[in-house]
Amino acid sequence: MTSWREERRQAAAEHGAALERKRAAEAAQARDLLAGFVATMNERGVPPEPLRAQVVGSNASYRTDLTGWYLRRNRSLAVDVDGNFYILGVPASLKSRVAGVRVRPSDPPLVVGQGARDGESMPLAELLRLRLES
């Protein structure tokens, strides 16, 4: 007979695994949306541009080695030519100001800004649609 603690531990592990499967499935859906966005931008002949990382809480930005399209007017989110999703907020750094900054891709969410202030969250599909219309 298993103990109550062991049952709780097993239930927590199963719950964590289910959440991870859900997150992975949502990221896969979001990647498909981004791939479609990149294909549409290429079909329309919209050239990618060099992407810059915005310094959080400042108007400054740093060079990156990325090329792609910004998804928001404030240039905080972008997609590169390979369909990778980037959050372009970085801390201030003298070294980064001189040498540039390396930004790693993030798992794309289906809802951008979820958990942020009211009015800042938006479904990724809607964000991409608005970007394509601009």
Side-chain angles (χ1 to χ4, degrees):
M1 185 159 156
T2 60
S3 71
W4 179 84
R5 277 189 181 163
E6 184 56 37
E7 288 176 13
R8 298 299 338 138
R9 191 179 350 262
Q10 185 176 1
E14 289 171 8
H15 182 69
L19 286 174
E20 180 58 29
R21 285 191 301 274
K22 180 182 178 198
R23 188 202 57 75
E26 288 180 357
Q29 281 182 279
R31 279 190 188 88
D32 289 343
L33 292 172
L34 292 172
F37 173 81
V38 169
T40 302
M41 293 298 268
N42 287 324
E43 288 169 9
R44 292 182 180 182
V46 179
E49 61 183 291
L51 300 175
R52 297 184 62 87
Q54 303 300 119
V55 176
V56 177
S58 168
N59 289 330
S61 64
Y62 300 145
R63 285 178 290 110
T64 71
D65 59 351
L66 303 171
T67 304
W69 300 271
Y70 294 104
L71 299 179
R72 285 204 163 153
R73 290 183 197 268
N74 67 3
R75 299 180 167 221
S76 61
L77 301 175
V79 60
D80 71 4
V81 293
D82 296 321
N84 296 308
F85 178 78
Y86 292 89
I87 300 170
L88 295 174
V90 296
S93 161
L94 181 59
K95 179 181 176 188
S96 296
R97 174 173 263 179
V98 174
V101 66
R102 172 155 283 164
V103 183
R104 298 198 185 281
S106 300
D107 282 338
L110 281 178
V111 178
V112 176
Q114 192 167 25
R117 295 184 302 210
D118 287 344
E120 290 189 358
S121 65
M122 176 183 292
L124 179 62
E126 177 71 7
L127 180 64
L128 296 175
R129 184 188 64 76
L130 290 172
R131 177 59 177 92
L132 287 169
E133 291 176 355
S134 64

